[in-house]
Amino acid sequence: MLNFIINIYTQAIYEPILNLLVALYNVIPGQDIGVVIILITLAIRIILAPFMHKALRGQKEMSNMQPKIAELREKFKDNRTEQTKAITELYKENDINPFSSCLPLLIQLPILIALYQVFDKALKGNLDGLYSFVSTPGILNSMLFGWIDLANPNIVLAIIAGLVQFWQSWLITKSQNQEHMDPTMKAMSIPTMYVLPLVSIYIAWKLPAGRPFYWIVTSLFAVGHQYHFDKPLVP
């Protein structure tokens, strides 16, 4: 069963992304792997846009329900069973699935894993899995715009990746109803906004720069999507 799942993942996700990377690398003038990563990220974000939009809508619906949820928590603060029942009924009345924002994230998880593997292996010269009609370029040029070697760690890209993640977390927190948010969730939002970017910087510093560069690109697309989603709400 495990081998079956691995084969499906390899043939349906990993190999198509690998072949797209190499095909773009072959035709782009200058064969800049950084441009290829940007184009692939753009393609993936476009494909996943409906799922991500659904996740953002679910988050917004949950945020809008926070005042009513806070009232129910206060009303049934001495009876957790009744509290849970009342909140569940509230979700049903408003046709809200509290887990609706999780499914899109689960859908994109295998794609993110495949992207990491493709960038990592391709930059190391491992191009196993190319289709017969995609010509192998041999060793890929790992230089980003002729300036940064994406095959080696780079502290500058690591710091930028952390800053962009902070920007994304700040934007998400800003769009939520903080005043009526559950105290536990509100407390968790602080380390999410400030601590995780620092952890990301440390991890990215130890990895080949191709990975933090991908984090930067995909996070910027996510920030753009969030701004577009919140546009009517942003002064």
Side-chain angles (χ1 to χ4, degrees):
M1 182 62 181
L2 180 59
N3 288 336
F4 175 76
I5 295 175
I6 292 175
N7 287 335
I8 293 296
Y9 161 80
T10 301
Q11 296 176 15
I13 303 178
Y14 175 84
E15 289 183 353
I17 293 177
L18 171 64
N19 282 271
L20 176 61
L21 180 144
V22 175
L24 289 173
Y25 181 85
N26 287 336
V27 300
I28 287 179
Q31 295 186 317
D32 193 309
I33 194 65
V35 175
V36 173
I37 291 176
I38 292 173
L39 292 176
I40 289 180
T41 304
L42 174 61
I44 296 297
R45 295 298 304 192
I46 290 174
I47 293 172
L48 294 177
F51 302 103
M52 298 306 299
H53 198 77
K54 183 177 181 180
L56 291 175
R57 186 169 62 246
Q59 292 172 1
K60 178 58 66 177
E61 290 173 348
M62 287 294 295
S63 178
N64 292 338
M65 295 301 297
Q66 290 305 311
K68 293 182 179 179
I69 293 174
E71 291 177 4
L72 292 175
R73 286 201 176 98
E74 179 62 25
K75 181 178 180 180
F76 299 104
K77 62 182 178 180
D78 297 323
N79 191 328
R80 294 300 297 272
T81 301
E82 288 298 320
Q83 181 186 113
T84 301
K85 182 179 178 181
I87 293 175
T88 301
E89 288 298 322
L90 179 65
Y91 289 150
K92 289 182 179 179
E93 291 173 2
N94 291 272
D95 194 26
I96 293 177
N97 182 356
F99 302 105
S100 62
S101 61
C102 298
L103 181 58
L105 299 178
L106 293 177
I107 292 175
Q108 68 171 324
L109 183 59
I111 297 177
L112 294 176
I113 294 173
L115 285 167
Y116 290 158
Q117 291 182 328
V118 166
F119 295 152
D120 185 49
K121 293 182 178 180
L123 289 173
K124 292 179 180 178
N126 184 349
L127 300 179
D128 294 341
L130 286 182
Y131 301 145
S132 58
F133 55 84
V134 178
S135 60
T136 176
I139 302 299
L140 298 180
N141 176 17
S142 60
M143 297 303 294
L144 168 65
F145 308 139
W147 178 43
I148 296 176
D149 187 356
L150 297 181
N152 295 313
N154 185 278
I155 184 59
V156 174
L157 287 184
I159 292 174
I160 294 175
L163 292 175
V164 174
Q165 183 178 357
F166 171 79
W167 184 15
Q168 183 181 0
S169 299
W170 173 82
L171 192 60
I172 293 174
T173 303
K174 181 174 178 289
S175 69
Q176 295 173 340
N177 195 331
Q178 294 285 308
E179 182 180 354
H180 300 283
M181 183 181 290
D182 176 69
T184 302
M185 295 179 62
K186 191 172 183 178
M188 290 176 60
S189 67
I190 301 301
T192 298
M193 184 185 301
Y194 296 101
V195 178
L196 287 184
L198 295 176
V199 175
S200 297
I201 290 174
Y202 178 78
I203 294 175
W205 186 16
K206 304 298 181 180
L207 295 174
R211 292 193 181 186
F213 179 67
Y214 166 72
W215 295 349
I216 293 168
V217 175
T218 193
S219 295
L220 286 175
F221 279 117
V223 166
H225 194 166
Q226 184 77 48
Y227 267 116
H228 175 73
F229 184 84
D230 289 339
K231 190 174 181 180
L233 305 176
V234 176

